[in-house]
Amino acid sequence: NKTYQLPTLLQFLLNKHKPWIETSYHGVITENTDIVMLDPPLVALDKDAPIPYAGEICAFNIHGLEAPFEAVVLNGTSGEGQLRARRLIDCELQKEYTFIIQAHDCGSGPGGTEGKKSHKAVVHIQVNDVNEFAPVFREPHYRAAVTEGKIYDTIMQVEATDQDCSPQYSQICNYQITTSNTPFAIDRNGNIRNTEKLNYDRQQQYEILVTAWDCGQKRALHNVPVRIDVKPVCKPGWQGSNKQVDYEPGTGSKQLFPKMHLETCGGPLSSVRTTVELQTSHIGKGCDRETYSEKSLQKLCGASSGSTDLLPAPSPATNWTVNLVSDSGRDSDLIFRFDGHQAAKIPDRVVLQNLTDQFTIATWMKHGPSPGLRAEKETLLCNSDKTGESQEMNRHHYSLYVHNCRLVFLLRRDFTQVDTFRPAEFHWKLEQICDKEWHYYVINVEFPVVTLYVDGVTYDPYLVTDDWPIHPSQIDMQLTVGACWQGNDDETGGNGSIHHFYFRGSLSGLTIRPGKIESQKVISCLQACKEGLDINSLESLDKSIKFHFNPAQSILVMEGDDLGNINAAVRKVSYINSRQFPTPGIRRLHISTLVQCFGEDTCITIPDIDAVVMVQQPSEPRITITGVEKLSWLAADFRSSEGIALFQDVHIISTVTTSNNEIIHNLDYCDVLVLGEELDPQFEALQLQQGALLRKHLDVTNSTSGMSIYGVDSMSNYEQVIRQVRYYSRQPKSLLERRFRLTCSELNGRYTSNEFSLEVKAMHNSEDEDHISHIIAPPQYMQVAHHPSMLQELFPSHSSDVPNAATVLIVMCIAALVVVAVLGIYRIHLTHQQEMKLAESIKEPDETWNDSALTITVNPMETLQEPQAAEDGSDEEEDEEEEEERDDDDDDITSVESDDSEEEMDDQLPRVQCKTVQKWDKTTISY
């Protein structure tokens, strides 16, 4: 059906045979090249040769799924061809290729029109690898641990890989340790071993470098570090403990052993018991406690009022402790040391001589064993007979003493209180009495029941002895601390008194409270430690763990049967100090452990370990007192019922800076000290208004040397109370000035404010007159400014409804006095200049000087009734004085008249001055 031209038709008719190629080919290509080496070579034959076109090969066609190859005809007549890659071949992406190839002859023309195709041949091509990648280790670093004293076949294995596709280049054929002089070796598989026994004491850690080669001898680009830790031979004990833990004040609780664990070397365990002890005996009185003054601390804990401090700080009012050896260097704790030769006699006014049926005695005591086999009694407190007519009596009414590590309290009643055989001596035998540590002892007496508290724990007496009451006598009693006062007859027959039964140890805070006993809650508060051990996240502690704290929380015991739970529990143990300003320094830790195995009492010995807690220095507070430092008051104000306010404008700022934040904290006392002579109790006093201490944790003591306000309370409450302190004097006329000093403190003097000094001046009437006369008659270069508050400052008690005429009256009276004084001086001077004219002046009686102008009388005791009349009278007096001055210029004055005038002035001027001293009454002003 087709139409052919003659030449084409002839070619078509002559193309009788198909081209021929091999049935299969195998080729090899090297990656990153494009020529494929085929076996056999690519050649196509056609039996129609040498007929043009019909016997020639025009193309090779490839059939396959995206085969990256192409076949080109190199010679159409011979049928030779070549297989090439269309892009670079990567062995790592594909190692082999398989596809179909077919040859085409040229058919009837050069374009291969109507050409015939050969059969299909299979071509299989393999990609040859090139060693283009270096070995790379699987891990960036390796780590292992070995025990000292052993030779290991294999400590660990390192491994490297190669990304090349062929086994020749992708396999690792060798490893090598590049670090020299190491006791280790490595084989071709990467296994590392030690070549000699390792010693923990010699070296605890080794760092080596390892490299690798592939089978094409390509070396790794980077060496790998290998760390080998040497462990000592397994010894049971705690591992990973911290030798020191730094504690920053105000941070709450801090874990002590966050990474610690118990190593038992695989032994089977039935139970583990661990004891953690915090040793604080060197801090203050046994631990970090509040160091407020004894009175402030009792107020803070809600103790009953009325207690008496028998060992206060030495002062003029409490001078009986001045000769005792004190040690206040430990965080402001006031501690008295007794070496067996000192005692303090308490004055009679301090404590009642006889106690009631209810009272409390409390003290801190540190005491050790007494020297000698037969130790004498050591008296803490003793109330005995004074020296009197009956020296042989020497009766002890009550006393507290230590004897052979026993605490004994003696209480002898007299017949006025009881007349039967009753308990008199109470004995306690306690380890704490002679352990050389601080303990807090409280004896509550509800006769006949006597209860002892030691560090807040109740102890009953093991022995109580009865005795008869003491017979009444007229001998006074002497209360003594540190010994017992006892009267004796000396060798000469006279009377003498000495101390017996001296105490050896340390005491602090010895108080006695007649009429009341303390509750256990208050006692626990007074001796409570502010530092101790704690457990973080107690709710997360495994229920199988049993734990117990001692009352001071300085000892923690933990017990369990699972090693993992014990380790977790120990890691939760922490240290806490709730004081805002804790005592800095070291607190020692001691950890002891007891391990039990199945069927055995003790199978593994765990060594004890020690550590320290280092409490850092806290940020110190700044206490600043500011205010008006000089005050002037009218003398009359001092004798008013209210007195004068001393610190009405005072400001107290008490802050501590922590991490750029200011925190307000409390004060525990402020002292108002009288500088110079003490107050005269008959005429002077410091006063505090009733109700000033309501709803505040404050108390006050007052004496002739000053006033002390104490109690743990906020700075604002202290400021409110101090502003209400007033000074009163019944003799302000003799008073010129008084000076006071105000200081405040935190933690019983550990942090003290600046010394704020105040000077109070009494303004008397003469000073007031000078002050007012300067206001009335200022120099010409001064401009008078009439301020409405001027007279109000001078007379603060005047009400605002006083008429203006009173003011004018005062001014005019003062002016008249000034004129009279000036006139008198002028006349005396004029008399001396006219002595030559005296004889002639005697004969002229008509020219006698009229001295009516000097008969001015000011009566300040009259009430102000006619202000306008006073104004007019003042004007008339001024006119008369002006006329008198003019007459003096024109007329002569005789010697007799001059003498008379001087006598009149001498008589009248003192009278006027005397009256003006009394005229400044604030309620009535008269003329």
Side-chain angles (χ1 to χ4, degrees), residues 237-238 241 243 257 260 589-592 606-611:
W238 290 101
S241 62
K243 295 298 182 183
F257 320 108
M260 194 168 75
L589 291 167
H590 183 77
I591 299 95
S592 58
I606 305 297
D608 295 350
I609 62 174
D610 295 299

Side-chain angles (χ1 to χ4, degrees), residues 646-681:
L646 293 179
F647 306 101
Q648 197 165 5
D649 299 320
V650 76
H651 292 278
I652 305 175
I653 302 175
S654 178
T655 57
V656 57
T657 302
T658 303
S659 302
N660 298 325
N661 294 323
E662 288 193 346
I663 305 173
I664 303 298
H665 65 101
N666 294 329
L667 303 177
D668 65 350
Y669 74 79
C670 286
D671 284 341
V672 179
L673 180 65
V674 179
L675 301 181
E677 295 183 0
E678 293 189 0
L679 301 179
D680 188 343

Side-chain angles (χ1 to χ4, degrees), residues 797-830:
S797 64
H798 283 3
S799 60
S800 59
D801 59 349
V802 175
N804 293 333
T807 303
V808 177
L809 174 60
I810 295 170
V811 173
M812 297 308 296
C813 290
I814 295 175
L817 293 174
V818 173
V819 172
V820 170
V822 173
L823 182 59
I825 296 173
Y826 173 77
R827 287 185 176 277
I828 294 172
H829 178 69
L830 186 61

Side-chain angles (χ1 to χ4, degrees), residues 73 78 255 682:
V73 179
S78 62
Q255 286 181 273
Q682 295 183 357

Side-chain angles (χ1 to χ4, degrees), residues 583-653:
T583 304
I586 289 177
R587 276 73 163 165
R588 301 189 182 279
L589 291 167
H590 183 77
I591 299 95
S592 58
T593 305
L594 178 64
V595 176
Q596 292 183 346
C597 298
F598 292 99
E600 301 180 25
D601 293 338
T602 303
C603 58
I604 300 176
T605 300
I606 305 297
D608 295 350
I609 62 174
D610 295 299
V612 297
V613 177
M614 178 61 73
V615 179
Q616 304 296 324
Q617 180 74 35
S619 300
E620 295 189 0
R622 300 187 306 273
I623 307 173
T624 305
I625 304 176
T626 59
V628 178
E629 297 182 355
K630 291 186 178 181
L631 294 176
S632 295
W633 288 81
L634 289 176
D637 291 333
F638 288 84
R639 63 170 176 262
S640 64
S641 59
E642 296 85 4
I644 63 168
L646 293 179
F647 306 101
Q648 197 165 5
D649 299 320
V650 76
H651 292 278
I652 305 175
I653 302 175

